[in-house]
Amino acid sequence: MMANSLKSDLMSFGMHCSYPFCRRLDFLPFKCDTCEVFYCVNHFRPVQHNCQKQQIRENYLPQCPLCFQYVVKGINGNNDNTQVERHIESGCKTLIQEKRKKNKCSRNGCKLTSLIPIQCNNCYQSYCVGHRHPADHRCVGLKNLQLVGA
């Protein structure tokens, strides 16, 4: 009695390969990234099971997740992710605009931007190299600290 229940419990693990000519019972099936169907180790790649969704996906251009600009398809075997990474690293428009906005000096009248943000420990605002010290940007946080400490 115990052996039959153990055998039936073991059979409940795993899945049969979804490839019609295989149907192999696999205890660690692979999920196709494109169609999200489970296959055995021999058929999980889209090419191995003639994935229809992969063929549809290949007709679309990849799109940058930051600026939503379409990126040229990969050449010489480069996949879409590599092409999108190159687009972002080469200077995605929104990335450049965000960096300029974030690293702008907070001092009134100063229009300088820095590559690296320099934040004041007292007022927590970003400043350029010339205004990084509390005395140089007339820090409000420093005045508040002096009033509390007195």
Side-chain angles (χ1 to χ4, degrees), residues 107-145:
R107 170 106 194 264
N108 288 340
C110 184
K111 296 181 181 179
L112 293 176
T113 57
S114 302
L115 291 174
I116 301 169
I118 302 169
Q119 192 174 27
C120 177
N121 291 334
N122 300 318
C123 64
Y124 304 108
Q125 293 193 15
S126 281
Y127 294 98
C128 66
V129 176
H131 297 120
R132 70 182 182 269
H133 298 293
D136 295 333
H137 64 263
R138 300 182 189 124
C139 185
V140 177
L142 187 64
K143 292 176 187 174
N144 291 341
L145 284 175

Side-chain angles (χ1 to χ4, degrees), residues 24-40:
R24 174 182 182 186
L25 179 62
D26 196 337
F27 293 105
L28 293 172
F30 292 89
K31 186 177 183 181
C32 175
D33 293 336
T34 310
C35 64
E36 299 182 355
V37 177
F38 289 93
Y39 295 96
C40 69

Side-chain angles (χ1 to χ4, degrees), residues 64-68 88 91-105 113-115 117 126:
C64 176
L66 301 174
C67 68
F68 301 106
I88 292 171
C92 179
K93 293 176 186 176
T94 54
L95 239 162
I96 293 170
Q97 290 171 355
E98 283 180 20
K99 283 185 180 178
R100 286 183 185 156
K101 288 178 186 175
K102 286 182 180 177
N103 300 332
K104 186 178 180 295
C105 183
T113 57
S114 302
L115 291 174
S126 281

